[in-house]
Amino acid sequence: MPVQIKIQKIFKWAATIAVAGMAGAMMVASAAYLYLAPLLPAAETYRNVQLETPLRIYTSDRRLIDEIGNRRDPVDYTDIPPLLTDALIATEDLRFYSHPGVDLQALLRGLYGIIRGVNLGGGSTITMQLTNNLSFDSDKVYLRKIKSIPFALQIERELTKEEILTLYLNTAYFGAGADGIGAAAYVYYGKEVDELSLAEAAMMISLLPCPSACNPLSNPTRAIDRRRVRLANMLRQGMINQSEFADADRSPITAQRRNRDIEVSAPYVAEMVRQQLYDEHGEEAYSQGFEVVTTIDGDKQLTANKALIDGLENYYDKRHGYRGATANYPKELYVDENGDAKEAWAKELQQVSVIGNQHPAIVTSVDDLSFEAVLKSGQTTKVEWDGISWAYTFNSRNDAWPPPDIAGDAVQTGDLIRLKNMDGQWQLGQIPDIQGALVSMSPSNGEIIALVGGYDFRHSQVNRVITPRPPGSNFKPFLYGTALEQGYSAATTINDAPISRGGYRPNNYENNFLGPITLRYALKESRNVPAVRLYDQVGDDKVLAFAAKFGFQTQNFPRNDLTVALGSQDVQPLEVVTAYSAIANGGYKVEPWFIKEISNLADGTVFKAKPITVCENCPTTSDDVAAEIIPAPRIIDPQVAFILNSMLRSVIEEGSGARVNRELGRGDLMGKTGTTNGPQELWFSGFNRDIATTVFIGFDQPEPLGEREQGATIAVPIWIDFMKVALEGMPENTMKRPDGIEDRLINKTTGAPATPGEPDTIFEYFRTQNAPTADGALLPSIDPAGEENEELSTEAIF
């Protein structure tokens, strides 16, 4: 009896504890529910899934530049084939139709697995997973799971099982920018949901836990393995038979990405568009079917991409030597049972991106004058000596030596390197550490027709077209334009002789002095000392006011700083090309713009651009056409613009831009190089009446590029490569000569009037009011310097 009494007491206490525990658990659960219930979404906020269409960005001829955001195309339950829901239930939630939204058995199994340190499944039902699709994105895993329990119970009370399955499949992310099964069926297979085969349905369900890493586009081998597991689950549950399993398991991957079929790569433009629409519309910019037509000319953009990428590689990076392999993967650590490391190396390469033209590869063998390497695809390729011989050893920006004598001087087995395909032949390459930008604009209305903000957007998202850097001599035309506006002429002479002001002693690139030279010659040869003298004479107030009319933010420039004359102050390449466009169009201020039209699914067209346009003979305001044209304001006299055009033509004919003339042979091109101290930045801006283009080159963290570099060595050839194609088939077009311009025969060196037959003469352009008189006498001169300055005094001839 005592033993029996003792047992009864034990059971009594156990029962009491159990009841108390259950009561406590119920109280905790009730308290948790009461606390969480107000935080749970109401049914009307999630019951109906809305169509989502991503932002699409196009060139001016409607070629796709980018698609940003996810696609969602909701489907009804009647559109979903049973094999799809069977695959989902067999894999994710076998007791879906019998539990109330929470499967206690599965939760306890998952908890037991955590205690034992083994994976027995997470315990989440389809309904609980649906709660994560609908809410709690920012919560941590455990908090999210706790919140999902009352939410799942609420969903089960408010929706039928069929509605839950439909909502789940409409809100799940399937990778490749596809939200929901409707979008996924189209993106991967180009089909409606009810047209999916068994193999395709199983593949879709296999994506749900890891839509990016497991999808058949990014990892076909893994995707097939995961599909097989889903098919086996269906077979085990009797949802399919053995024959159906075998047929589906043998099915090849037929998935192809059908959205985001980019036709013209312009990621820096796409980001500019994305930012503007996000500023205006927030997150809705990515889901409301916005379509943006830009000003970008598709063919010219493709040409600009190639010109900048190839130019940075060939005109700079390869000339400065080979910096060596990124890493080395020793063969002995990667060989398989057959002594081959290629498969293991190829797997390592899956983690390395293609950047620009440069494909990652690992060297598999090295011969005397060639080597072999495996690519990301697993393909092995051979690189011959012609693709290796350039790889002089990089020592510094000014020293690349010695050249390789054999392939082993450049690469070793196991090296992680870069290869570039040139006309079907692979060459040793490397990702340039130099950066650059190219932007091209129409001088008629400021529309941007091509824009490349760097070597590769994936490598660096910094848009160098809108990043301020010192322009060097690219700024000089605006100094000389000021002088012309103040009464100087291209024939005015200025002294190219040593000067000093407050310890500042400018020098010429050639380290020599030429004495008195004309302004045309000084600009053509980009002489620094005459530019500093001229800046001092004209005065910074006039120069900065003149430059401001062209769009430069001169309110931020220092005063009484002679280095401004040489382009020491930061400006954006976009500002520079806009300013040069005003010279090209004859003196009208245009504004840069890049969006022509915006539309969306709900409202149709919501924006059409009305750009400021150069219009020399605009219709009257009563004309209907006038309402469609916003005339560009004139900022300088046409005579000043014409003479400045002609001075920049001299740069192309005989000066630092002479390579342009040699290679393009057109008579309508003008431009100016720019090189800063170091040199750290290289520029070239050039134009005809139809296209103005600026090229910038430099490191993101400014440092010297090498003693031999200047604007003419890198920026000019990149500009040529672009403009050669951009101008193909276009007739020559320059600013027309305006009234009020006269030409006189002058001595080319001194600027003095000359007579026919004299040597070293040219016909120079003058504004009528300061042209030499018919008898050769000069007009009265004005004192451009104001007060006499002993150190900087000079004589001027008009």
Side-chain angles (χ1 to χ4, degrees):
M1 283 296 289
V3 173
Q4 187 175 0
I5 293 172
K6 190 172 183 179
I7 291 173
Q8 288 177 343
K9 286 184 176 181
I10 291 173
F11 274 112
K12 182 179 179 181
W13 278 107
T16 301
I17 292 171
V19 171
M22 291 178 64
M26 290 178 65
M27 290 176 64
V28 171
S30 299
Y33 182 80
L34 290 173
Y35 171 73
L36 293 173
L39 304 179
L40 303 179
E44 57 269 19
T45 65
Y46 60 75
R47 185 188 297 272
N48 296 316
V49 179
Q50 299 299 312
L51 173 72
E52 292 184 7
T53 304
L55 164 64
R56 293 172 68 85
I57 303 167
Y58 296 93
T59 63
S60 60
D61 53 347
R62 296 200 67 91
R63 286 188 273 175
L64 185 64
I65 289 175
D66 205 353
E67 183 176 289
I68 302 172
N70 295 334
R71 179 184 298 276
R72 191 194 305 276
D73 188 5
V75 297
D76 295 329
Y77 181 76
T78 54
D79 298 323
I80 301 172
L83 55 86
L84 192 64
T85 54
D86 285 348
L88 176 63
I89 290 169
T91 300
E92 300 293 333
D93 189 357
L94 280 174
R95 285 180 292 278
F96 172 71
Y97 285 107
S98 60
H99 62 64
V102 177
D103 189 342
L104 280 176
Q105 182 179 337
L107 284 175
L108 291 173
R109 184 184 66 240
L111 180 61
Y112 179 64
I114 292 173
I115 294 171
R116 290 190 55 196
V118 294
N119 183 11
L120 298 178
S124 290
T125 64
I126 288 175
T127 315
M128 291 172 68
Q129 292 178 41
L130 172 60
T131 68
N132 295 328
N133 293 348
L134 300 175
S135 189
F136 313 139
D137 288 342
S138 61
D139 289 339
K140 295 186 178 179
V141 174
Y142 297 114
L143 180 57
R144 189 163 64 236
K145 186 154 291 191
I146 291 171
K147 284 185 176 181
S148 73
I149 292 173
F151 192 13
L153 295 172
Q154 173 183 310
I155 288 174
E156 290 274 349
R157 289 197 309 273
E158 296 175 334
L159 304 180
T160 67
K161 291 289 187 179
E162 290 74 18
E163 289 175 323
I164 291 170
L165 286 173
T166 305
L167 189 57
Y168 178 87
L169 289 170
N170 275 329
T171 56
Y173 181 59
F174 287 85
D179 269 325
I181 189 61
Y186 170 76
V187 167
Y188 287 100
Y189 299 110
K191 294 182 175 183
E192 298 293 332
V193 176
D194 58 7
E195 296 173 336
L196 292 174
S197 68
L198 173 60
E200 292 164 347
M203 182 67 79
M204 291 290 91
I205 298 304
S206 75
L207 299 179
L208 293 176
C210 53
S212 298
C214 305
N215 75 61
L217 305 178
S218 61
N219 198 329
T221 302
R222 187 177 182 187
I224 287 177
D225 292 340
R226 293 179 60 82
R227 182 184 68 181
R228 181 177 296 118
V229 171
R230 273 65 189 170
L231 291 168
N233 291 340
M234 297 176 73
L235 178 63
R236 190 178 304 113
Q237 299 303 317
M239 297 171 173
I240 58 175
N241 59 39
Q242 185 64 46
S243 174
E244 290 171 323
F245 169 84
D247 288 345
D249 191 44
R250 283 195 301 267
S251 296
I253 288 179
T254 57
Q256 296 178 4
R257 186 165 185 166
R258 286 166 174 80
N259 68 334
R260 207 169 178 271
D261 184 16
I262 292 176
E263 299 172 88
V264 175
S265 177
Y268 293 96
V269 176
E271 174 57 18
M272 291 167 71
V273 172
R274 185 205 67 79
Q275 186 62 58
Q276 180 166 325
L277 262 71
Y278 180 79
D279 290 344
E280 295 173 357
H281 303 283
E283 293 293 332
E284 289 189 350
Y286 312 136
S287 62
Q288 300 305 302
F290 281 98
E291 291 194 349
V292 178
V293 178
T294 69
T295 59
I296 297 299
D297 181 301
D299 290 339
K300 290 180 175 61
Q301 179 65 38
L302 293 173
T303 299
N305 293 343
K306 187 175 190 308
L308 185 67
I309 291 171
D310 287 350
L312 293 175
E313 292 173 354
N314 299 327
Y315 298 134
Y316 182 84
D317 199 63
K318 290 176 73 171
R319 289 174 45 238
H320 286 264
Y322 183 56
R323 297 185 297 278
T326 306
N328 185 273
Y329 297 93
K331 184 174 183 178
E332 58 271 18
L333 300 181
Y334 289 87
V335 292
D336 57 21
E337 61 274 11
N338 299 317
D340 189 0
K342 291 179 185 176
E343 185 175 344
W345 277 333
K347 287 183 178 179
E348 291 286 354
L349 290 171
Q350 301 309 310
Q351 311 304 317
V352 188
S353 299
V354 176
I355 302 295
N357 287 328
Q358 306 294 328
H359 295 255
I362 294 178
V363 178
T364 58
S365 63
V366 182
D367 293 327
D368 284 348
L369 298 178
S370 66
F371 68 85
E372 290 189 347
V374 62
L375 298 164
K376 283 185 76 166
S377 62
Q379 168 196 353
T380 299
T381 188
K382 187 173 185 178
V383 180
E384 302 288 356
W385 182 246
D386 285 347
I388 306 170
S389 58
W390 68 269
Y392 285 51
T393 301
F394 172 85
N395 298 307
S396 72
R397 304 289 176 208
N398 298 308
D399 179 17
W401 193 264
D405 292 323
I406 59 173
D409 291 340
V411 299
Q412 298 295 319
T413 299
D415 277 354
L416 174 59
I417 60 169
R418 295 283 174 167
L419 296 181
K420 176 181 178 179
N421 193 300
M422 289 288 291
D423 301 322
Q425 300 296 315
W426 288 98
Q427 298 181 355
L428 178 64
Q430 63 185 356
I431 298 172
D433 53 5
I434 190 75
Q435 278 290 355
L438 184 155
V439 57
S440 191
M441 173 183 288
S442 167
S444 292
N445 64 3
E447 67 177 350
I448 296 173
I449 57 180
L451 185 151
V452 190
Y455 178 74
D456 189 298
F457 185 79
R458 294 163 298 181
H459 190 50
S460 170
Q461 288 77 53
V462 175
N463 187 348
R464 294 154 193 89
V465 167
I466 54 176
T467 301
R469 296 290 289 269
S473 297
N474 231 213
F475 183 74
K476 286 179 180 175
F478 306 96
L479 164 63
Y480 286 86
T482 308
L484 294 175
E485 190 171 74
Q486 295 302 310
Y488 290 69
S489 77
T492 300
T493 59
I494 194 159
N495 199 15
D496 183 5
I499 60 173
S500 175
R501 168 70 68 81
Y504 173 58
R505 297 175 180 273
N507 203 356
N508 294 311
Y509 178 81
E510 299 81 358
N511 289 314
N512 64 359
F513 300 93
L514 303 178
I517 57 175
T518 65
L519 295 192
R520 179 180 293 275
Y521 188 88
L523 179 60
K524 171 175 73 79
E525 297 298 327
S526 200
R527 305 291 289 182
N528 289 336
V529 174
V532 172
R533 285 186 181 276
L534 184 63
Y535 187 82
D536 181 73
Q537 287 182 5
V538 175
D540 60 11
D541 56 338
K542 291 185 174 63
V543 175
L544 298 184
F546 183 87
K549 292 191 291 186
F550 289 80
F552 292 112
Q553 303 301 306
T554 57
Q555 71 273 14
N556 301 320
F557 287 18
R559 268 53 181 173
N560 302 313
D561 184 347
L562 296 179
T563 67
V564 172
L566 306 181
S568 63
Q569 302 306 302
D570 289 352
V571 296
Q572 299 175 356
L574 184 58
E575 292 176 314
V576 174
V577 75
T578 303
Y580 273 76
S581 291
I583 301 173
N585 66 32
Y588 294 92
K589 179 66 171 70
V590 292
E591 299 292 343
W593 60 289
F594 54 90
I595 294 179
K596 277 190 172 181
E597 183 178 312
I598 302 174
S599 61
N600 63 31
L601 291 175
D603 305 310
T605 301
V606 296
F607 170 79
K608 271 193 175 182
K610 289 182 63 175
I612 295 172
T613 302
V614 175
C615 185
E616 298 182 46
N617 299 298
C618 279
T620 63
T621 54
S622 61
D623 197 308
D624 290 340
V625 181
E628 301 300 319
I629 296 176
I630 303 175
R634 175 170 286 286
I635 54 174
I636 58 173
D637 290 341
Q639 297 80 14
V640 171
F642 181 79
I643 296 173
L644 191 53
N645 268 264
S646 77
M647 293 171 73
L648 292 172
R649 176 62 191 165
S650 294
V651 175
I652 301 300
E653 290 179 332
E654 303 177 293
S656 55
R659 183 171 176 173
V660 173
N661 210 38
R662 292 195 304 270
E663 296 197 22
L664 298 187
R666 295 177 63 110
D668 61 340
L669 297 177
M670 297 84 173
K672 183 70 188 77
T673 53
T675 305
T676 63
N677 285 339
Q680 294 190 146
E681 291 86 13
L682 308 176
W683 300 71
F684 185 73
S685 295
F687 58 86
N688 73 352
R689 181 60 184 81
D690 297 316
I691 302 176
T693 301
T694 289
V695 174
F696 159 78
I697 305 295
F699 291 106
D700 283 343
Q701 298 299 320
E703 62 177 272
L705 295 159
E707 295 172 353
R708 300 184 301 275
E709 304 300 355
Q710 50 184 302
T713 61
I714 307 172
V716 167
I718 291 174
W719 188 92
I720 290 172
D721 288 347
F722 171 72
M723 292 292 277
K724 183 186 299 181
V725 180
L727 292 171
E728 193 171 303
M730 295 177 67
E732 294 191 0
N733 190 12
T734 63
M735 177 190 174
K736 302 300 183 286
R737 177 171 172 161
D739 294 336
I741 291 289
E742 299 184 19
D743 38 18
R744 297 283 190 272
L745 190 67
I746 66 165
N747 183 281
K748 191 174 182 179
T749 303
T750 67
T755 57
E758 288 185 22
D760 195 29
T761 59
I762 61 167
F763 279 97
E764 182 58 88
Y765 295 116
F766 293 84
R767 299 165 77 187
T768 297
Q769 61 265 38
N770 61 6
T773 57
D775 60 2
L778 298 179
L779 291 172
S781 65
I782 45 179
D783 178 12
E787 294 183 7
E788 185 71 8
N789 180 289
E790 185 173 345
E791 282 189 316
L792 296 175
S793 64
T794 185
E795 304 246 344
I797 299 175
F798 297 95

